[in-house]
Amino acid sequence: MNMPVHNQGKRSDYPINVKSAIPKHRQELLKWNGWGYKDSKFVYKNDAVYFTGKRYPIGELRLPHLIKFGTEQLNIDLTKPGIQGRELPIESDYSPPKVSPEILVQLDNVRISYSIEITDRVVHAHGHTLKDIYTLRNSVFERIPDVVVWPRSHQDVVELVKIADTHDMVIIPFGGGTSVSGAVECPSKETRTIISLDTSQMNRILWLDKENLVVCCESGIIGQDLERELAKLGYTSGHEPDSYEFSSLGGWVATRASGMKKNTYGNIEDLIVHVKMVTPLGVLQKNTQAPRISCGPDFNHVIMGSEGSLGVVTEVAIKIRPLPQCRRYGSIVFPDFAAGVKCMREVARKRCQPASIRLMDNDQFKFGLILKPESSCGGALLDGLKKFYITKLKGFDPDRMCVMTLLFEGDESEVKSSEKRVYAIGTRFGGLSAGQTNGERGYMLTFVIAYIRDLAMGYKVVGESFETSVPWDRVLTLVANVKTVVAQECRKQGITYYVFNARVTQTYDAGCVVYFYLGFNYSNITDPVHVHHTIEEKARDEIVNCGGSISHHHGVGKLRTKWYPGTISKVGVNLYLAAKKELDPKNIFATNNLVSSIPKAKL
């Protein structure tokens, strides 16, 4: 998309070639069978658990409370060595790549990098569902990509889609590999050649319009790279999903993502100005950068949430903002979860949400305390005089209280005004300020919690998160009912040791987002992934019964196709299939996302 030169700075300034924090062969830096960086993990040493490395605030700090928690809540002994899982994949684990020499010659001719090496193929066969990681550690995938390709530009993608269309091959787009919906999983019954199209080398900043505050980037740029480069220029996108260290701009578009600071900056649909997507039929795009147009249905919304089933997102223009002058964290402790939810509701009603506002229930509040490096069991929030004041003088029950974490961004006067309003509302609902330190720590732990699952798997504990959006008047009922269902299902499955907690993560005028975390000891269970899926399915049924959505931002993928027709109606499914038939008549993008399969009669 062309832009006026006078708005872009010097002609020589763009495009900016971004050196990514994540290498092309991501397994060189990231775990091939777990979450995040190789040098970042929980380990036992010197009579306590530590988190290795210096990438996160708790790095190399002693975390003594994890051992007791593991013993009492999950019946595991963290002082003993855990199960390591399988080594790197080997060729004999999988069928040889089903790709003809002629195709590889064509890739060479158009100068597109590719690999048929087994580790590259396996790394691109999965996202980060429980099933994905458990399979990597204990088994093999039924189907993996036959070839991985790394296009470097929009035109490279056009060439690749032409090749796949001509030779009837399958393309599965691959961004940051952080999907938790099974979206990049290869359909097990697919007999055609499967290409994993990795967008990571398409990560240039194409232009930045300072006058209109818009930046255009290639879709493969990773969140942390985007924010680092924008910050150098004095700007931010403000889009910060929990996975932003590793997820890509194109992935945010394809999954209809949301970020922790959406109150100030918006969800991805609020940020998008323009999207370019390559389909077998051609390129889908709008030929204007106007902030809003009334020109029939907005096809950006066909692209957003399409989860790689219609084409490949190649370029995205989004709104940006100047870097905030002031950033301040905060926290409020409430006597119980209901009081915290009522406070959040009032904050939303008054439309005075800070950049981020999150509420942990009591179970998650206690879980967060075990990651505190302080020597006392309660941690900073419940130490000394503060503990006496909260529990004795104010009468808060440690087994019911919960904590809200806050992040304020803006200029100094805006932050002070927002703080004053939010804390005043908190006081009305029985809340007490718990300080900036607890707020910052609660916010940052979001990035560390994902590493817990890798530690847990070594001790026969599986865990997963799932989320929903729900109207305000049904929040408390939904959380209570889902907890009851999960408890019942755990008993039915013979599960004695488990943890299940919840938090409210984002607020809207008409409702909010609830995140659930479930983990259990599977020592007496032969197929823990199936059991976890069964429990989550029952929980999801209850979520829907209580008026919740099947997903707020994780997407549908292959895991939640059961509920998709009921969510959008039969007419809605047929409308999606009509778009699929028009844009991809040969089902080149055969991801099986959204609907479990595409009826041949529809194509």
Side-chain angles (χ1 to χ4, degrees), residues 14 16-20 203 205 208 217 221-236:
Y14 298 96
I16 297 175
N17 294 308
V18 175
K19 181 174 176 55
S20 179
N203 68 340
I205 296 177
L208 190 147
C217 304
I221 193 167
I222 298 299
Q224 63 168 307
D225 295 335
L226 174 62
E227 283 303 298
R228 182 188 65 248
E229 296 301 322
L230 286 178
K232 292 177 183 177
L233 301 171
Y235 301 98
T236 179

Side-chain angles (χ1 to χ4, degrees), residues 296-307:
D298 187 347
F299 293 115
N300 278 350
H301 288 273
V302 174
I303 298 172
M304 283 187 286
S306 57
E307 301 186 9

Side-chain angles (χ1 to χ4, degrees), residues 372-477:
K372 279 182 174 285
E374 289 84 359
S375 59
S376 67
C377 186
L381 182 59
L382 293 180
D383 273 348
L385 292 175
K386 189 169 287 187
K387 176 180 179 181
F388 177 80
Y389 177 73
I390 292 174
T391 60
K392 301 300 182 182
L393 296 185
K394 299 300 293 185
F396 283 26
D397 182 351
D399 292 324
R400 297 190 66 206
M401 58 191 286
C402 65
V403 173
M404 176 185 293
T405 59
L406 306 163
L407 170 62
F408 302 88
E409 286 191 356
D411 62 38
E412 185 69 30
S413 62
E414 289 173 336
V415 167
K416 285 183 178 179
S417 175
S418 183
E419 285 178 316
K420 183 177 180 180
R421 296 184 70 185
V422 172
Y423 284 118
I425 293 172
T427 301
R428 284 176 49 193
F429 292 94
L432 300 170
S433 173
Q436 292 188 39
T437 301
N438 285 296
E440 182 174 7
R441 187 179 165 281
Y443 190 87
M444 294 305 173
L445 279 179
T446 297
F447 302 110
V448 176
I449 286 176
Y451 289 89
I452 284 280
R453 185 171 67 179
D454 294 342
L455 172 71
M457 277 195 177
Y459 295 89
K460 292 197 171 185
V461 171
V462 291
E464 185 72 288
S465 65
F466 52 96
E467 37 70 75
T468 184
S469 49
V470 60
W472 281 112
D473 63 339
R474 303 177 188 180
V475 176
L476 295 176
T477 298

Side-chain angles (χ1 to χ4, degrees), residues 253-459:
V253 173
T255 58
R256 201 176 177 88
S258 179
M260 291 189 282
K261 298 188 291 188
K262 74 93 191 164
N263 294 331
T264 297
Y265 301 99
N267 289 318
I268 195 66
E269 66 269 22
D270 304 307
L271 291 170
I272 279 181
V273 175
H274 180 265
V275 182
K276 184 182 290 187
M277 183 174 77
V278 179
T279 78
L281 191 71
V283 178
L284 179 61
Q285 63 179 330
K286 291 188 298 185
N287 294 313
T288 177
Q289 195 209 321
R292 184 180 188 274
I293 59 174
S294 178
C295 189
D298 187 347
F299 293 115
N300 278 350
H301 288 273
V302 174
I303 298 172
M304 283 187 286
S306 57
E307 301 186 9
S309 65
L310 302 178
V312 184
V313 174
T314 57
E315 297 176 11
V316 185
I318 59 171
K319 305 171 191 175
I320 55 176
R321 299 294 304 165
L323 283 170
Q325 298 174 8
C326 178
R327 166 182 283 193
R328 207 142 53 225
Y329 295 93
S331 59
I332 303 174
V333 57
F334 291 94
D336 54 43
F337 187 64
V341 171
K342 289 177 182 177
C343 173
M344 293 187 95
R345 174 66 187 112
E346 187 61 19
V347 169
R349 193 194 309 273
K350 299 292 186 182
R351 290 190 171 180
C352 60
Q353 295 104 315
S356 175
I357 178 169
R358 294 182 162 199
L359 177 71
M360 296 179 283
D361 72 356
N362 182 257
D363 291 318
Q364 188 166 120
F365 163 61
K366 289 179 178 177
F367 181 76
L369 290 178
I370 70 170
L371 295 179
K372 279 182 174 285
E374 289 84 359
S375 59
S376 67
C377 186
L381 182 59
L382 293 180
D383 273 348
L385 292 175
K386 189 169 287 187
K387 176 180 179 181
F388 177 80
Y389 177 73
I390 292 174
T391 60
K392 301 300 182 182
L393 296 185
K394 299 300 293 185
F396 283 26
D397 182 351
D399 292 324
R400 297 190 66 206
M401 58 191 286
C402 65
V403 173
M404 176 185 293
T405 59
L406 306 163
L407 170 62
F408 302 88
E409 286 191 356
D411 62 38
E412 185 69 30
S413 62
E414 289 173 336
V415 167
K416 285 183 178 179
S417 175
S418 183
E419 285 178 316
K420 183 177 180 180
R421 296 184 70 185
V422 172
Y423 284 118
I425 293 172
T427 301
R428 284 176 49 193
F429 292 94
L432 300 170
S433 173
Q436 292 188 39
T437 301
N438 285 296
E440 182 174 7
R441 187 179 165 281
Y443 190 87
M444 294 305 173
L445 279 179
T446 297
F447 302 110
V448 176
I449 286 176
Y451 289 89
I452 284 280
R453 185 171 67 179
D454 294 342
L455 172 71
M457 277 195 177
Y459 295 89

Side-chain angles (χ1 to χ4, degrees), residues 542-603:
E542 185 59 31
I543 286 172
V544 173
N545 289 339
C546 291
S549 67
I550 65 172
S551 176
H552 170 259
H553 58 271
H554 282 172
V556 178
K558 299 174 184 65
L559 291 185
R560 287 173 275 277
T561 57
K562 167 187 172 180
W563 298 278
Y564 184 64
T567 299
I568 67 168
S569 78
K570 183 179 179 180
V571 173
V573 171
N574 287 335
L575 185 59
Y576 161 73
L577 291 175
K580 173 73 172 173
K581 179 180 180 180
E582 174 64 22
L583 295 175
D584 184 18
K586 292 166 63 175
N587 197 22
I588 300 304
F589 293 93
T591 61
N592 284 7
N593 295 335
L594 303 179
V595 294
S596 58
S597 62
I598 307 295
K600 289 185 178 180
K602 297 291 184 179
L603 294 176

Side-chain angles (χ1 to χ4, degrees), residues 87-381:
E87 297 294 330
L88 284 167
I90 57 178
E91 295 285 350
S92 60
D93 287 340
Y94 295 94
S95 299
K98 186 180 179 179
V99 56
S100 69
E102 291 76 17
I103 296 300
L104 299 182
V105 168
Q106 286 198 41
L107 294 176
D108 284 329
N109 289 340
V110 293
R111 298 183 179 181
I112 295 176
S113 176
Y114 66 86
S115 172
I116 55 174
E117 196 273 328
I118 189 60
T119 303
D120 286 326
R121 293 171 62 206
V122 171
V123 164
H124 289 79
H126 66 87
H128 279 274
T129 65
L130 169 59
K131 177 185 175 184
D132 291 331
I133 305 305
Y134 187 86
T135 299
L136 286 168
R137 293 173 66 97
N138 298 280
S139 182
V140 297
F141 294 107
E142 293 183 61
R143 187 74 164 89
I144 64 174
D146 297 294
V147 57
V148 179
V149 298
W150 287 273
R152 294 167 299 174
S153 66
H154 167 79
Q155 190 56 42
D156 278 358
V157 174
V158 171
E159 294 295 334
L160 282 168
V161 173
K162 286 179 180 177
I163 291 171
D165 190 47
T166 300
H167 297 278
D168 195 25
M169 297 187 293
V170 171
I171 289 179
I172 297 182
F174 190 98
T178 60
S179 167
V180 289
S181 67
V184 298
E185 177 185 314
C186 297
S188 59
K189 296 181 181 180
E190 182 57 69
T191 59
R192 294 175 291 174
T193 297
I194 296 180
I195 299 171
S196 176
L197 192 155
D198 186 322
T199 61
S200 63
Q201 304 309 294
M202 298 167 48
N203 68 340
R204 294 178 300 170
I205 296 177
L206 300 176
W207 48 259
L208 190 147
D209 183 342
K210 297 180 179 180
E211 180 69 20
N212 296 309
L213 290 176
V214 177
V215 67
C216 183
C217 304
E218 291 177 315
S219 63
I221 193 167
I222 298 299
Q224 63 168 307
D225 295 335
L226 174 62
E227 283 303 298
R228 182 188 65 248
E229 296 301 322
L230 286 178
K232 292 177 183 177
L233 301 171
Y235 301 98
T236 179
S237 73
H239 191 72
E240 196 170 282
D242 294 0
S243 62
Y244 105 108
E245 294 173 281
F246 313 111
S247 56
S248 69
L249 174 59
W252 300 344
V253 173
T255 58
R256 201 176 177 88
S258 179
M260 291 189 282
K261 298 188 291 188
K262 74 93 191 164
N263 294 331
T264 297
Y265 301 99
N267 289 318
I268 195 66
E269 66 269 22
D270 304 307
L271 291 170
I272 279 181
V273 175
H274 180 265
V275 182
K276 184 182 290 187
M277 183 174 77
V278 179
T279 78
L281 191 71
V283 178
L284 179 61
Q285 63 179 330
K286 291 188 298 185
N287 294 313
T288 177
Q289 195 209 321
R292 184 180 188 274
I293 59 174
S294 178
C295 189
D298 187 347
F299 293 115
N300 278 350
H301 288 273
V302 174
I303 298 172
M304 283 187 286
S306 57
E307 301 186 9
S309 65
L310 302 178
V312 184
V313 174
T314 57
E315 297 176 11
V316 185
I318 59 171
K319 305 171 191 175
I320 55 176
R321 299 294 304 165
L323 283 170
Q325 298 174 8
C326 178
R327 166 182 283 193
R328 207 142 53 225
Y329 295 93
S331 59
I332 303 174
V333 57
F334 291 94
D336 54 43
F337 187 64
V341 171
K342 289 177 182 177
C343 173
M344 293 187 95
R345 174 66 187 112
E346 187 61 19
V347 169
R349 193 194 309 273
K350 299 292 186 182
R351 290 190 171 180
C352 60
Q353 295 104 315
S356 175
I357 178 169
R358 294 182 162 199
L359 177 71
M360 296 179 283
D361 72 356
N362 182 257
D363 291 318
Q364 188 166 120
F365 163 61
K366 289 179 178 177
F367 181 76
L369 290 178
I370 70 170
L371 295 179
K372 279 182 174 285
E374 289 84 359
S375 59
S376 67
C377 186
L381 182 59

